Amino acid sequence: MLKFTEEHEWLNIEGDVATVGITAHAAEQLGDLVFVELPEVGASFSKGDDAATVESVKAASEVYCPLDGEITEVNEAITADPALVNSDPMGAGWFFKLKLKNVSDVDGLLDESGYKELIG
C-alpha cells in the first residue's frame, strides 16, 4: 500500500513496516543531491521528527519521520551515491524502513490521488 505525506515523503506499507523515501516531486524541487544523512538503525522517532537530511546544490532540507516508529534499516547506497534519490526516488532511492508503532495511523496519510491534488 502506497501512502504520502504533505511534506513529500512516500511510504510503502507492508504489514507493520513502512519503507520511506521522498517523492519524485520533492527530488525534482531539491535538484541534484550531493549529500544524504540517514538515521541510526534502532532510533525511535515521533511523527514529524527530523529523521534524515538531504543537501542539494540548491539547499539543505530535512526528511521528516511520517509516523511514530523505530528505524529497522537504512539505505546506505544513497549515502554513497545521493544521485540515486534523483534517478529513482520511489525505488532504489528509498531512505529507511520504519517499524510502525501504530499501523492504524496510516489511515491519516494521503493516497496517490490526494497527493497529486496537493502538488497540483
Side-chain angles (χ1 to χ4, degrees), residues 51-90:
T53 303
V54 293
E55 290 181 19
S56 71
V57 291
K58 294 181 185 178
S61 185
E62 300 303 321
V63 176
Y64 302 105
C65 194
L67 296 171
D68 297 350
E70 179 183 325
I71 304 298
T72 61
E73 188 178 340
V74 295
N75 185 1
E76 297 290 352
I78 64 171
T79 59
D81 184 8
L84 271 176
V85 177
N86 295 109
S87 64
D88 192 9
M90 309 267 303

Side-chain angles (χ1 to χ4, degrees), residues 3-114:
K3 292 288 191 171
F4 298 86
T5 70
E6 292 182 4
E7 291 76 30
H8 309 289
E9 287 94 22
W10 59 266
L11 296 82
N12 185 11
I13 316 291
E14 294 178 24
D16 65 349
V17 175
T19 301
V20 179
I22 63 172
T23 64
H25 175 79
E28 186 178 297
Q29 296 300 309
L30 286 166
D32 293 336
L33 294 186
V34 294
F35 176 78
V36 175
E37 181 178 78
L38 296 171
E40 295 288 325
V41 171
S44 291
F45 291 97
S46 295
K47 180 180 179 178
D49 287 352
D50 296 349
T53 303
V54 293
E55 290 181 19
S56 71
V57 291
K58 294 181 185 178
S61 185
E62 300 303 321
V63 176
Y64 302 105
C65 194
L67 296 171
D68 297 350
E70 179 183 325
I71 304 298
T72 61
E73 188 178 340
V74 295
N75 185 1
E76 297 290 352
I78 64 171
T79 59
D81 184 8
L84 271 176
V85 177
N86 295 109
S87 64
D88 192 9
M90 309 267 303
W94 62 276
F95 278 63
F96 54 84
K97 293 191 180 190
L98 183 71
K99 183 171 176 39
L100 301 175
K101 186 174 180 181
N102 188 350
V103 176
S104 65
D105 290 346
V106 168
D107 298 339
L109 300 175
L110 299 168
D111 60 15
E112 193 164 2
S113 64

